[in-house]
Amino acid sequence: MEVTRKNFKEVLPLVRDSIEAADFLAIDTEFTGLMSGRDVSMFDSPPEYYATLLNGTADFLLIQFGLCTFYWDEKEKQYMNDAYNFYVFPRGRPGPDRLFMCQSSSLDFLASQDFDFNKLIREGISYMTEPTEAKLREELTEKQKKLGNEKDCIPIPDEHKVQIDNICKKVRHFIDFENEDEMEIDRCNAFIRRLLFQELGKRFHNEVFVESKMLENKNRVLKVSKIKCGNDRMNRDVQKKNEEWEQFEDAVGFSRVARMISQSGKLVIGHNMLLDVMHTLNHFFQPLPTDYNTFKEFTHCMFPRILDTKYMSSLPPMSDKVDSSVLTHLLATMSEAPFSVPKALCKPGRGYTLADDKQHEAGYDAYITGVCFLAMINHLVRMRGEQPARLPPLEAAIWKPFMNKLYLAKTAHQDSPYINLTGPDPTPTRDHVFHVTFPKEWKRSDISQLFSPFGQITVQFLNDTTAFIAFSRRDLARGVPRAFAGDRRVTIVPYVTYKIPKLVNKVYFIQWRMF
Amino acid sequence: MEVTRKNFKEVLPLVRDSIEAADFLAIDTEFTGLMSGRDVSMFDSPPEYYATLLNGTADFLLIQFGLCTFYWDEKEKQYMNDAYNFYVFPRGRPGPDRLFMCQSSSLDFLASQDFDFNKLIREGISYMTEPTEAKLREELTEKQKKLGNEKDCIPIPDEHKVQIDNICKKVRHFIDFENEDEMEIDRCNAFIRRLLFQELGKRFHNEVFVESKMLENKNRVLKVSKIKCGNDRMNRDVQKKNEEWEQFEDAVGFSRVARMISQSGKLVIGHNMLLDVMHTLNHFFQPLPTDYNTFKEFTHCMFPRILDTKYMSSLPPMSDKVDSSVLTHLLATMSEAPFSVPKALCKPGRGYTLADDKQHEAGYDAYITGVCFLAMINHLVRMRGEQPARLPPLEAAIWKPFMNKLYLAKTAHQDSPYINLTGPDPTPTRDHVFHVTFPKEWKRSDISQLFSPFGQITVQFLNDTTAFIAFSRRDLARGVPRAFAGDRRVTIVPYVTYKIPKLVNKVYFIQWRMF
Ligand SMILES: Nc1nc2c(ncn2[C@@H]2O[C@H](COP(=O)(O)OP(=O)(O)O)[C@@H](O)[C@H]2O)c(=O)[nH]1
Ligand SMILES: Nc1nc2c(ncn2[C@@H]2O[C@H](COP(=O)(O)OP(=O)(O)O)[C@@H](O)[C@H]2O)c(=O)[nH]1
């Protein structure tokens, strides 16, 4: 179900029910960009990985949130799904005016997947973090207390006195002699409108009510309405306050859903979900902490049970059969023996079925994630000689290897495959990695040749003359610096030594991202 | 005429003709945001104004460029117009992947004016600066010279050897035994595709040709095609090179138009055009210089004749009759005596007429700017007792007060109304302005009262306890610091003294922008 600010209020209770009824929740999100500045290095430790993402992604926006809830149908003995595809956009007023980053390639990609940017910007649901909500709530309460905020009363500059006076005379005439209930004042710039608000409010407080109004042609005018009786003014003031609170609730918007997910304490799954989790926390809960351990605690506190299907698919017995864990490839693999995808149907209009093919719609990707998840867990259950049914209880040993681990895509193929939210992370040694400087003319083959006596190497270029080089024969790696100590063409520094002095700030590209 | 990358190539020659035929060109642009960080202060000097805009706006994107060219119809003795509304978007590949800022309120505003963001991102015309163009041109030439770039040859990691070998076997079989000319290799992640490109290229160089291909469902696969004869490989290589150059020209895209405007040397007008000029230079020519005088020279060099209609309307004899110089208000004023708007018609489908009402479409706003410009100049001509006709020659004295001056909206109502591109700027004294610190509880009225013996003041709040205060009675202002030397509630520092030590970095808001 597509959810925008047009239907958000009606849909919210449905979402609540879906979450409540669910055994697990699958999520997927879309962003305005992936990476600004330095990319993650293949050899980053989990805290370095986090620090890099934090610096490089926090300014992008989360623009679509897919939620697919899976609940057990006891009669049919199968899982059913409800799916929601939320367009989210932080419009200003009464929320804060937001500055954010976009990456042209990311927007390009979303456009190629038919992402609807007009819907996003026109109809996206607003949101804010908890601290912002608290602050704005306080400010609005304050503002409503002292109605006519005197601090802002501006003396009319001499050059505008005539214009303002003329308009006041027209209003006087309108009140005294005209039959209409309303008049419009047009052709005033923002400053004059501001002055008029103030002057008309002062001079005709009990006689007229002044509002700013947008015309069909998008011009702003002031609408002046006659006050009929004593209550009229008061009613309008009360009405205005209520409207302001309603607008405030609209501005909190999608954050409610994110917090419902958190409060449910249910299992939340995603595919390669580190960025989804980071953006979700950062946009709907609190700005992300710079301290890595605080991040782990914060995440675990907000989402006590997280499972990353990309990580799950990278472990045995799945890993042998999964050549590529790209989500659609994974689904294809899950559709073949020894795996099999469950039905995962839905009530009409409430979710997806496999016949839908809405790749890269966040809700659909969340659905596919859930389907792959069920296929994998069913496979595990079958391998134990049991019959797949409803999910095993979340405390069961079967979950242990996957639970609360976030996949680290870029370092997974080295030896730092995950962040462990509830225990110590892998602490890969980097004894086999070196920072190497070489002549500009050198090609990859020159490097390979140089080190060929030491077995196969992995090269991550930093620029024309430097690279990180990892030796797969770790036993031989120790000897490398000594072996080339006399070689004036190359300088070899152990990874750890290299890392200490430099706060890594080089921008580099993993070459094969181009393909 | 709407111009996107779909029709850009066909339209380009028309644009060239329109510019050539024109007496003057009106432009208007739309951005993804207006201001990040500190806003301009009412008391900024022109160099400070420029510095603030430079810091606060350079990261936003110019997304629509409206060009309306006005040419003289000698038979009908009237101006006609051709108008173009360019959607511009810097897509990556072969252009650089761009990071840019957006401001949610600006996108909101554009959306309310029915701006089509889908068209922008899907069909926007690419562009780049001159230095980027030169660099990429060189890189592409280099790249095409050394075909198989050996630096990037990656040894196949052990864990992928089996998969790669299996696929190579399939390709061998396809070449030797299958009738089809093409085969597809799917379900490979980016890294495997990269390895296959390399391995298939190496092992089957003269037998197959490998391309990356996007399927209907947006999945990427590798397409392997058989090479039929010796020429086939060469032809394909030549064809690929040509395609790369074509794509490169597409990526230079709209910059061509901007440079045509510059090279024409024609009069370029705009309404409140400082930001339009800055963004135009920054996106299509060169990154803006930090030095203010270099900026003035650079601008004058690229656009030797610029006229800002907002500035023009702020001078006598227009200023008496123009209460608001907001563009639509100005048009309304120009439609009434003593002004009159000229016809400004167009050939069918080539431009606008006044009957169109496409406010905030950049092309239409450019058109309205041109119409108001003609109305104002005709008024000036009439006041000299002459009959309005074709524009007076640009060297005529009548242009002197307006030519090459860019309006400074925020300081115009103080005494620094413009940047003079071809001479010294106004150098307003700030002797009558003070930085004042006061108690948190104070309202504007308390401040006004404190200073009431010194005449009327203008207050620009910086925060709860500080403001810039300007005295309209400049003669009295001198005495202010002494008069309050003993007053412990306020601290008063002359503006100039305040400015020297602080590199201004406070973020503040002009309160009445809220209305
Ligand atoms: N060094 C190395 N990195 C890999 C390899 N395979 C995948 N990667 C990493 O995984 C990412 C590829 O992502 P994706 O295309 O989603 O493939 P997937 O990780 O296999 O699902 C890249 O960003 C790489 O960092 C590999 O065999 N070696
Ligand atoms: N201090 C002061 N600033 C003004 C006044 N009128 C307009 N402004 C400035 O002009 C801008 C208003 O822009 P706009 O609404 O386009 O009105 P316009 O300048 O009259 O066309 C604001 O950003 C103000 O900085 C005025 O009377 N006093």
Side-chain angles (χ1 to χ4, degrees):
Chain A
M1 189 182 303
E2 190 173 274
V3 195
T4 67
R5 62 180 171 142
K6 290 200 169 158
N7 64 349
F8 181 62
K9 265 191 214 144
E10 294 95 78
V11 174
L12 197 56
L14 297 182
V15 177
R16 181 172 289 120
D17 293 348
S18 296
I19 293 177
E20 215 148 84
D23 273 10
F24 68 97
L25 315 173
I27 64 167
D28 186 54
T29 64
E30 302 289 351
F31 321 120
T32 59
L34 286 176
M35 182 51 70
S36 76
R38 176 183 167 271
D39 204 350
V40 175
S41 140
M42 270 192 229
F43 306 109
D44 278 348
S45 65
E48 286 167 342
Y49 204 112
Y50 173 70
T52 305
L53 288 193
L54 184 61
N55 286 325
T57 70
D59 292 335
F60 294 117
L61 228 52
L62 191 165
I63 51 179
Q64 197 172 52
F65 192 102
L67 170 66
C68 188
T69 69
F70 286 81
Y71 59 95
W72 182 249
D73 179 345
E74 185 56 39
K75 212 162 108 222
E76 301 289 334
K77 302 279 183 228
Q78 67 185 13
Y79 274 103
M80 304 277 287
N81 77 92
D82 290 345
Y84 303 92
N85 212 22
F86 300 92
Y87 283 81
V88 295
F89 186 73
R91 71 196 65 255
R93 289 199 204 172
D97 190 12
R98 286 282 300 269
L99 290 165
F100 61 91
M101 296 272 279
C102 296
Q103 189 170 1
S104 56
S105 57
S106 296
L107 300 192
D108 233 14
F109 173 78
L110 287 168
S112 78
Q113 313 289 334
D114 292 328
F115 185 90
D116 190 338
F117 293 95
N118 288 336
K119 189 168 278 175
L120 171 71
I121 296 167
R122 289 182 197 155
E123 303 172 26
I125 307 156
S126 206
Y127 60 82
M128 60 181 80
T129 59
E130 288 170 338
T132 303
E133 180 183 346
K135 195 179 116 251
L136 292 183
R137 190 179 291 282
E138 200 176 303
E139 279 175 13
L140 184 52
T141 312
E142 271 306 297
K143 188 194 136 203
Q144 294 194 342
K145 257 193 228 154
K146 41 176 176 179
L147 253 173
N149 188 342
E150 290 233 347
K151 191 158 203 161
D152 287 346
C153 180
I154 303 177
I156 312 290
D158 287 336
E159 66 271 30
H160 295 306
K161 285 208 166 116
V162 176
Q163 193 185 355
I164 300 288
D165 278 344
N166 282 342
I167 293 174
C168 285
K169 273 182 212 147
K170 274 191 204 152
V171 173
R172 182 76 267 156
H173 186 269
F174 158 71
I175 297 171
D176 292 342
F177 301 110
E178 281 173 39
N179 286 328
E180 267 84 68
D181 291 339
E182 291 178 9
M183 74 177 279
E184 274 175 10
I185 304 174
D186 68 351
R187 250 192 263 176
C188 300
N189 68 29
F191 185 58
I192 302 293
R193 286 203 301 277
R194 168 69 178 83
L195 295 178
L196 283 175
F197 248 104
Q198 166 185 312
E199 290 305 303
L200 297 177
K202 235 194 271 175
R203 301 194 200 178
F204 307 105
H205 183 72
N206 289 313
E207 297 176 285
V208 298
F209 193 83
V210 185
E211 296 162 282
S212 180
K213 190 180 141 190
M214 181 95 83
L215 294 185
E216 284 265 328
N217 68 5
K218 306 290 157 68
N219 274 343
R220 267 196 183 282
V221 297
L222 290 185
K223 194 177 100 186
V224 179
S225 334
K226 285 184 192 159
I227 291 178
K228 298 290 181 48
C229 63
N231 279 347
D232 209 15
R233 164 112 240 144
M234 215 184 64
N235 290 345
R236 279 179 185 264
D237 284 343
V238 170
Q239 192 189 333
K240 189 162 169 231
K241 282 189 189 180
N242 288 344
E243 275 167 17
E244 283 174 346
W245 281 115
E246 240 173 73
Q247 282 165 5
F248 178 77
E249 289 305 322
D250 289 349
V252 177
F254 182 77
S255 312
R256 299 251 170 284
V257 175
R259 295 175 203 161
M260 262 153 51
I261 294 173
S262 165
Q263 276 151 24
S264 77
K266 305 234 160 144
L267 173 64
V268 177
I269 72 168
H271 192 74
N272 206 6
M273 72 191 299
L274 175 57
L275 276 181
D276 305 77
V277 167
M278 285 176 68
H279 277 288
T280 298
L281 293 173
N282 194 44
H283 285 110
F284 313 129
F285 294 84
Q286 299 200 14
L288 288 170
T290 46
D291 178 63
Y292 174 66
N293 282 313
T294 311
F295 164 71
K296 284 175 47 166
E297 282 165 29
F298 176 37
T299 306
H300 187 56
C301 181
M302 292 297 121
F303 299 108
R305 283 178 182 122
I306 277 185
L307 187 148
D308 189 328
T309 48
K310 187 140 178 156
Y311 180 60
M312 189 174 182
S313 76
S314 77
L315 290 196
M318 275 69 76
S319 49
D320 297 350
K321 275 127 206 143
V322 175
D323 274 341
S324 162
S325 62
V326 171
L327 189 56
T328 43
H329 299 165
L330 185 61
L331 179 64
T333 305
M334 289 300 131
S335 317
E336 295 168 358
F339 302 101
S340 76
V341 295
K343 272 199 198 124
L345 303 175
C346 65
K347 296 208 184 110
R350 292 301 305 272
Y352 294 98
T353 68
L354 282 169
D356 298 320
D357 186 9
K358 312 236 167 163
Q359 231 193 92
H360 292 289
E361 192 170 283
Y364 182 75
D365 280 357
Y367 169 70
I368 292 300
T369 301
V371 169
C372 289
F373 167 70
L374 287 172
M376 289 192 284
I377 193 74
N378 288 349
H379 180 67
L380 290 178
V381 167
R382 250 183 261 111
M383 287 191 61
R384 296 169 148 211
E386 294 165 28
Q387 205 38 36
R390 198 167 174 171
L391 290 191
L394 295 176
E395 296 70 34
I398 198 170
W399 299 109
K400 201 77 210 303
F402 320 115
M403 194 61 79
N404 290 317
K405 301 214 168 79
L406 293 171
Y407 189 66
L408 299 180
K410 301 279 170 160
T411 58
H413 301 271
Q414 298 304 317
D415 44 13
S416 178
Y418 61 83
I419 289 175
N420 182 1
L421 292 173
T422 49
D425 289 322
T427 49
T429 73
R430 292 287 172 251
D431 298 348
H432 65 305
V433 184
F434 298 91
H435 179 266
V436 180
T437 311
F438 44 82
K440 212 180 155 111
E441 316 76 57
W442 276 29
K443 302 181 194 128
R444 197 186 278 264
S445 54
D446 297 306
I447 299 172
S448 297
Q449 207 184 328
L450 182 75
F451 293 113
S452 57
F454 293 86
Q456 202 179 27
I457 57 171
T458 304
V459 182
Q460 175 170 357
F461 282 100
L462 302 177
N463 57 36
D464 266 9
T465 60
T466 60
F468 287 135
I469 296 186
F471 292 82
S472 31
R473 293 285 308 270
R474 292 179 180 232
D475 52 329
L476 299 180
R478 288 186 125 228
V480 168
R482 205 154 353 104
F484 296 95
D487 193 322
R488 304 193 59 182
R489 297 166 300 170
V490 290
T491 315
I492 301 183
V493 180
Y495 182 81
V496 189
T497 321
Y498 173 77
K499 275 275 167 157
I500 292 166
K502 303 221 171 203
L503 276 172
V504 196
N505 57 4
K506 300 250 169 75
V507 177
Y508 50 83
F509 304 95
I510 299 184
Q511 306 280 333
W512 47 269
R513 293 224 83 194
M514 304 292 291
F515 286 81
Chain B
M1 189 182 302
E2 190 173 274
V3 194
T4 66
R5 62 180 169 141
K6 291 198 168 158
N7 64 348
F8 181 62
K9 264 189 218 149
E10 294 94 79
V11 174
L12 198 55
L14 298 183
V15 176
R16 180 171 292 120
D17 294 347
S18 295
I19 293 176
E20 217 148 85
D23 274 9
F24 67 99
L25 315 173
I27 65 166
D28 185 53
T29 64
E30 302 287 350
F31 320 121
T32 59
L34 286 177
M35 183 49 69
S36 75
R38 173 182 171 273
D39 203 349
V40 175
S41 140
M42 271 192 231
F43 306 109
D44 279 349
S45 65
E48 285 167 341
Y49 204 113
Y50 172 70
T52 305
L53 287 193
L54 183 61
N55 285 326
T57 69
D59 292 336
F60 294 116
L61 228 54
L62 192 166
I63 52 179
Q64 198 171 52
F65 192 101
L67 170 67
C68 188
T69 69
F70 287 81
Y71 60 95
W72 183 248
D73 179 344
E74 185 56 39
K75 212 164 104 217
E76 300 290 333
K77 302 280 183 226
Q78 66 185 15
Y79 274 102
M80 304 277 288
N81 77 94
D82 289 346
Y84 303 92
N85 211 23
F86 299 92
Y87 283 80
V88 295
F89 186 74
R91 69 198 64 255
R93 287 197 206 172
D97 191 10
R98 285 282 301 269
L99 291 165
F100 61 92
M101 296 273 279
C102 297
Q103 188 169 3
S104 55
S105 57
S106 297
L107 300 192
D108 233 16
F109 172 78
L110 287 168
S112 78
Q113 313 289 333
D114 292 328
F115 186 90
D116 190 338
F117 293 95
N118 288 335
K119 190 168 276 174
L120 171 71
I121 295 167
R122 289 181 198 155
E123 302 173 25
I125 307 156
S126 205
Y127 60 83
M128 60 181 80
T129 60
E130 288 170 338
T132 304
E133 179 183 347
K135 197 179 115 249
L136 292 182
R137 190 178 292 281
E138 199 175 306
E139 279 175 14
L140 184 54
T141 312
E142 271 306 298
K143 188 193 135 202
Q144 293 194 343
K145 257 191 230 153
K146 42 176 175 178
L147 253 173
N149 186 343
E150 289 234 346
K151 190 157 205 161
D152 286 345
C153 180
I154 303 177
I156 312 290
D158 288 336
E159 65 272 30
H160 296 305
K161 286 209 164 114
V162 176
Q163 192 186 354
I164 300 288
D165 279 344
N166 282 342
I167 293 174
C168 286
K169 272 180 212 147
K170 274 191 205 154
V171 173
R172 182 76 266 155
H173 186 270
F174 158 72
I175 297 171
D176 293 343
F177 301 110
E178 282 173 37
N179 287 327
E180 266 82 71
D181 289 338
E182 293 178 8
M183 75 177 279
E184 274 175 10
I185 305 174
D186 67 352
R187 250 191 265 177
C188 300
N189 68 31
F191 185 58
I192 302 293
R193 286 202 301 277
R194 167 71 178 85
L195 295 177
L196 282 174
F197 247 104
Q198 164 185 315
E199 289 305 302
L200 297 177
K202 235 193 271 176
R203 302 194 200 178
F204 306 105
H205 183 73
N206 289 314
E207 297 175 287
V208 297
F209 193 82
V210 185
E211 295 162 282
S212 181
K213 188 179 143 191
M214 180 96 83
L215 295 185
E216 284 266 326
N217 68 6
K218 308 287 156 70
N219 274 343
R220 268 198 182 281
V221 299
L222 290 184
K223 194 176 100 186
V224 179
S225 334
K226 286 183 191 159
I227 291 178
K228 297 288 181 47
C229 64
N231 278 348
D232 209 14
R233 164 113 240 145
M234 215 184 65
N235 291 343
R236 279 177 186 264
D237 285 342
V238 169
Q239 190 187 334
K240 192 166 167 227
K241 281 188 191 180
N242 289 343
E243 274 167 17
E244 283 174 346
W245 280 115
E246 239 172 75
Q247 282 165 6
F248 178 77
E249 289 305 323
D250 289 348
V252 177
F254 181 77
S255 314
R256 297 252 169 282
V257 175
R259 295 175 203 162
M260 262 153 52
I261 294 174
S262 167
Q263 276 150 23
S264 78
K266 305 238 160 145
L267 173 64
V268 176
I269 70 167
H271 191 75
N272 204 5
M273 73 193 298
L274 175 58
L275 275 180
D276 305 75
V277 168
M278 286 177 67
H279 277 288
T280 299
L281 293 173
N282 193 44
H283 286 109
F284 312 129
F285 294 84
Q286 299 202 15
L288 289 171
T290 47
D291 178 62
Y292 174 67
N293 282 313
T294 311
F295 164 71
K296 284 177 42 167
E297 283 165 28
F298 176 37
T299 306
H300 186 57
C301 181
M302 292 298 122
F303 298 108
R305 282 177 184 123
I306 278 186
L307 188 149
D308 190 327
T309 48
K310 186 141 178 155
Y311 180 60
M312 189 174 182
S313 75
S314 78
L315 290 196
M318 275 68 76
S319 49
D320 297 349
K321 276 128 205 142
V322 176
D323 275 340
S324 163
S325 62
V326 171
L327 189 55
T328 44
H329 299 166
L330 185 61
L331 179 64
T333 305
M334 289 301 130
S335 317
E336 295 168 357
F339 303 102
S340 76
V341 296
K343 271 198 197 126
L345 302 174
C346 66
K347 296 207 185 111
R350 291 301 305 273
Y352 294 98
T353 70
L354 282 167
D356 298 321
D357 184 10
K358 311 238 169 160
Q359 229 192 93
H360 292 287
E361 194 169 282
Y364 181 75
D365 280 358
Y367 169 69
I368 291 300
T369 301
V371 169
C372 290
F373 167 70
L374 287 172
M376 288 192 284
I377 194 74
N378 288 350
H379 181 66
L380 290 177
V381 167
R382 251 184 261 110
M383 286 192 60
R384 296 171 147 211
E386 293 165 28
Q387 205 40 34
R390 198 168 175 171
L391 289 191
L394 293 176
E395 297 69 33
I398 199 170
W399 298 109
K400 200 81 210 300
F402 322 115
M403 193 62 79
N404 289 318
K405 302 215 168 79
L406 294 170
Y407 189 65
L408 300 181
K410 302 279 171 162
T411 58
H413 301 270
Q414 298 304 318
D415 44 13
S416 177
Y418 61 82
I419 288 174
N420 182 1
L421 293 171
T422 49
D425 290 321
T427 47
T429 73
R430 291 287 172 251
D431 298 348
H432 64 305
V433 184
F434 298 91
H435 179 266
V436 180
T437 311
F438 44 82
K440 211 183 156 106
E441 315 76 56
W442 276 29
K443 301 182 196 127
R444 195 185 277 265
S445 54
D446 298 307
I447 299 173
S448 296
Q449 206 182 330
L450 182 75
F451 293 112
S452 55
F454 293 84
Q456 202 180 27
I457 58 171
T458 304
V459 183
Q460 175 170 358
F461 283 101
L462 303 176
N463 57 37
D464 267 7
T465 60
T466 60
F468 288 137
I469 295 187
F471 292 81
S472 31
R473 293 286 307 269
R474 291 178 183 232
D475 52 328
L476 299 180
R478 289 185 124 228
V480 168
R482 205 154 354 104
F484 296 93
D487 193 322
R488 306 192 57 183
R489 295 165 303 171
V490 289
T491 314
I492 301 183
V493 181
Y495 182 82
V496 190
T497 322
Y498 173 78
K499 275 276 169 155
I500 292 165
K502 304 222 172 202
L503 276 171
V504 196
N505 57 5
K506 300 248 171 73
V507 177
Y508 50 84
F509 303 95
I510 299 183
Q511 306 281 333
W512 50 267
R513 295 224 79 193
M514 305 292 290
F515 286 80

